[in-house]
Amino acid sequence: MNILLTGGCGYIGSHVAVVLMSAGHQVFIVDDLSNSRRDVVGNIAEIAGRSPAFYEGDVGDVAFVRDIFRRHQIEAVIHLAGFKSVGESVQWPLKYYQNNICGSLGLFQAMEAESVSKLVFSSSATIYGDPQYLPVDEAHPQHVTNAYGRSKLHIEDMLRDISASRPSLGVVCLRYFNPVGAHDSGLIGEYPRGIPNNLMPYVVQVASGKREVLSVFGGDYPTPDGTGVRDFIHVMDLAEGHLAALNFLSSNKGWHAFNLGTGRGFSVLEMIRAFEKESGRTVPFRMAARREGDVACSYADVQSAERALKWKATRVLEDMCSSAWLFQNRLSTKD
Ligand code: UFG
């Protein structure tokens, strides 16, 4: 199948590209490189044994996207392009609405104009807000607390309206929990710009000596060891979830949403210990105040995804840590 993959040079997008290509699909990446690197295309090609097509540009540019749809008879879209920093979205909400919502709007207009009728959208567990019960299932009340989360929720809602008006359309929104790790070749992974916001890239940089010490945000949560608990999912499991969603759309129409996680939580301290074991390095850390907006504990109910998509996360915490470490080491030898 010919698939348009927006944000295909990014952390998750590059892994999705590899999975789709390994399954025999033709991948056409659109990425504006605002938070990614062009040389990722070469790394995807090295893993997949052939190169994806690459277009640098804005997914919200309707004429540009329509042209790609026509030229390559695109049958499905996997839409990952978007800004993703919670803190930045609080500071610059308009930037998030412009890029994430307006970008998606242009893409969906182009899809309608060219009758492209399959879409997988990258949503986030952030739309659930502070969990009212655990595990968090897809029917959990939605409560967004920042512009990033609101942009994701708004796009989900837009898609609900669009699919109600266009019965030929099939839409799957995938609500990611906490993707970590890298492809086991070490060729693609997460390249955070500046100081990492997320736990795993920060841990990796402390282990490699790039940063001195990790701050553990909160040691007084009502969790077994007092630190935050998250559903960390290997990025390759997550990427395979996109292929499963695409396969689901070959026989399903309408709007659907599924959680992608492992169904179990690990604490920040458990993550640090697992990483130390896999890397053979120590990760110096100090306890710090809670980070504003953080929740104590979040993990997914994944039964719906397992049943409907016939997909399940199979990789364990050790795989997440060892692959992230391998990627970091490859990066260090290249620099
Ligand atoms: N943490 C630290 N120190 C750090 C960074 C994080 O202790 O330097 C802790 C956090 O306090 C939290 C846990 O590690 O307890 C995980 O934090 P992350 O920033 O890695 O992930 P979040 O769960 O906060 O956020 C992630 C994504 C968001 C998404 C959210 C929704 O980054 O984009 O999941 O589930 F919105």
Side-chain angles (χ1 to χ4, degrees), residues 124 126 148 178 197-199 215-217 230 268 291 294:
S124 168
T126 197
Y148 161 70
N178 290 61
N197 290 313
N198 298 116
L199 178 65
S215 296
V216 174
F217 299 137
R230 293 292 183 278
V268 173
R291 187 171 64 177
D294 270 356

Side-chain angles (χ1 to χ4, degrees), residues 217-235:
F217 299 137
D220 57 352
Y221 283 113
T223 58
D225 65 19
T227 66
V229 168
R230 293 292 183 278
D231 188 336
F232 297 103
I233 174 170
H234 195 297
V235 67

Side-chain angles (χ1 to χ4, degrees), residues 24-304:
H25 294 296
Q26 308 303 321
V27 172
F28 300 81
I29 291 175
V30 173
D31 198 306
D32 66 2
L33 303 179
S34 60
N35 191 27
S36 57
R37 302 155 59 138
R38 182 188 289 268
D39 60 6
V40 167
V41 176
N43 295 338
I44 295 169
E46 199 173 328
I47 300 170
R50 61 198 166 94
S51 188
F54 172 65
Y55 289 91
E56 182 175 347
D58 175 7
V59 298
D61 180 341
V62 181
F64 164 69
V65 177
R66 284 187 69 174
D67 185 52
I68 300 172
F69 283 158
R70 271 199 300 266
R71 225 182 303 165
H72 301 293
Q73 282 118 47
I74 299 290
E75 286 175 65
V77 174
I78 300 194
H79 178 35
L80 277 61
F83 292 153
K84 60 172 186 177
S85 162
V86 172
E88 191 187 46
S89 83
V90 173
Q91 206 180 354
W92 307 107
L94 286 175
K95 181 175 162 184
Y96 273 68
Y97 294 134
Q98 174 66 44
N99 187 64
N100 293 6
I101 295 184
C102 297
S104 299
L105 196 60
L107 175 68
F108 303 158
Q109 283 168 340
M111 285 181 68
E112 184 162 292
E114 299 300 331
S115 304
V116 179
S117 61
K118 294 185 175 77
L119 175 74
V120 178
F121 170 59
S122 95
S123 186
S124 168
T126 197
I127 66 169
Y128 298 122
D130 200 351
Q132 292 175 15
Y133 56 83
L134 290 165
V136 178
D137 61 18
E138 288 83 355
H140 186 283
Q142 294 164 349
H143 179 66
V144 287
T145 54
N146 56 70
Y148 161 70
R150 210 173 310 281
S151 73
K152 290 289 177 190
L153 186 56
H154 195 78
I155 296 164
E156 279 205 9
D157 288 342
M158 267 162 46
L159 286 169
R160 218 190 279 256
D161 292 338
I162 299 166
S163 64
S165 77
R166 213 182 129 202
S168 61
L169 193 62
V171 174
V172 173
C173 299
L174 296 175
R175 297 174 178 165
Y176 306 163
F177 279 68
N178 290 61
V180 294
H183 188 265
D184 60 16
S185 63
L187 285 167
I188 52 174
E190 191 171 9
Y191 293 93
R193 290 207 173 159
I195 302 172
N197 290 313
N198 298 116
L199 178 65
M200 180 65 117
Y202 209 107
V203 167
V204 169
Q205 292 194 2
V206 171
S208 72
K210 193 167 172 190
R211 298 190 191 276
E212 255 173 48
V213 58
L214 171 79
S215 296
V216 174
F217 299 137
D220 57 352
Y221 283 113
T223 58
D225 65 19
T227 66
V229 168
R230 293 292 183 278
D231 188 336
F232 297 103
I233 174 170
H234 195 297
V235 67
M236 284 300 290
D237 279 327
L238 190 87
E240 288 166 7
H242 294 70
L243 178 64
L246 197 66
N247 293 339
F248 171 85
L249 288 177
S250 63
S251 51
N252 290 278
K253 301 202 186 309
W255 183 97
H256 309 265
F258 300 107
N259 288 338
L260 291 189
T262 63
R264 78 158 284 192
F266 286 98
S267 74
V268 173
L269 291 183
E270 284 177 309
M271 176 57 104
I272 295 171
R273 266 184 237 116
F275 192 85
E276 287 184 328
K277 190 153 169 268
E278 290 307 307
S279 66
R281 298 282 178 97
T282 46
V283 177
F285 65 88
R286 62 167 172 246
M287 301 311 290
R290 292 182 180 187
R291 187 171 64 177
E292 207 185 326
D294 270 356
V295 304
C297 183
S298 170
Y299 52 91
D301 184 327
V302 288
Q303 288 184 65
S304 184

